[in-house]
Amino acid sequence: MIRHIVAIALAPALFASSAMAQTVVIVRHGEKVAPKGDPDLSAAGRARAQALAQALSGARIAMVLATPLKRTQQTAQPAAQAAGVTVVPAPFDGGDAAHAQRLAGQARTAPTDATVLIVGHSNTVADIAKALGDTAAQAPTDCEYDQITVIQLAGSAAPKVVHARYGVPTPAC
C-alpha cells in the first residue's frame, strides 16, 4: 500500500516541477495470463493498467509507445484512452539496444511540456531508461510488474529520475 501511495504522490509533484521539462514514464506491462507466447493481461494485469492510468491522470500525456504485443498494448490502453491519444506500436526491429534507442528518440520528439508513456518488457525497460539518461536503471525480475521510472528531460541539463512503485505490490519471486 505504501509503495502505491508513493508513486501516486511522486508523479504529480515531478510532473508539476517544471513546465518546460519533458517527462517520460517507463513501465513494464502488467501481469499476464500465461508465461509464453503473446498472452493477454490477467485480472491483476488489467487492474495494474487501470492503476497506471489513475497514477498518470494529472500528467499531460501526449504520446504513448508500446510494443505490438497484446500485454503491452493492453497495459497502455487505459492511460492512452484517458489522455485522448492512440497507443503507437513500437516494433522490436534491430534488437533490444536498437529498440531502446529508437524509443528514446521517439520520446524526445514530444513537446517539451508533454509526458510520454512507454510500456515495455522486463528485458527492455532498463535499456530504454538508460537511453534517456537514467544511470541507475535496473531491469525488473520476471515477477516484478510494479516498477515505474519517471524521467524528466530538461534540455542539456542532467535528467531528473524517480524510481517508484505503483499499483498493488507484486510478490517477491
Side-chain angles (χ1 to χ4, degrees):
M1 181 66 169
I2 291 174
R3 291 192 295 180
H4 176 69
I5 292 168
V6 168
I8 290 176
L10 282 177
L14 186 57
F15 299 136
S17 67
S18 173
M20 292 310 292
Q22 184 183 65
T23 303
V24 182
V25 177
I26 305 167
V27 299
R28 178 188 183 192
H29 60 78
E31 293 87 335
K32 53 195 176 187
V33 296
K36 299 209 184 246
D38 186 13
D40 289 309
L41 291 180
S42 65
R46 290 190 303 276
R48 184 163 311 283
Q50 290 298 326
L52 178 63
Q54 181 182 6
L56 298 178
S57 64
R60 292 177 300 271
I61 297 176
M63 181 185 299
V64 178
L65 304 168
T67 67
L69 299 178
K70 288 191 275 187
R71 58 191 176 270
T72 56
Q73 293 286 314
Q74 292 168 1
T75 301
Q77 189 56 43
Q81 185 174 357
V85 298
T86 302
V87 180
V88 176
F92 293 111
D93 302 344
D96 290 351
H99 173 74
Q101 290 298 322
R102 189 171 44 259
L103 285 175
Q106 283 180 274
R108 286 186 177 106
T109 67
T112 57
D113 63 344
T115 298
V116 176
L117 171 62
I118 299 175
V119 181
H121 300 271
S122 62
N123 64 329
T124 64
V125 293
D127 288 341
I128 296 164
K130 287 175 186 173
L132 289 163
D134 180 358
T135 59
Q138 293 188 353
T141 65
D142 283 342
C143 60
E144 283 182 296
Y145 295 92
D146 59 351
Q147 291 184 6
I148 185 168
T149 300
V150 181
I151 303 173
Q152 201 171 53
L153 305 172
S156 61
K160 294 179 185 177
V161 181
V162 174
H163 297 274
R165 305 282 178 161
Y166 76 102
V168 175
T170 52
C173 51

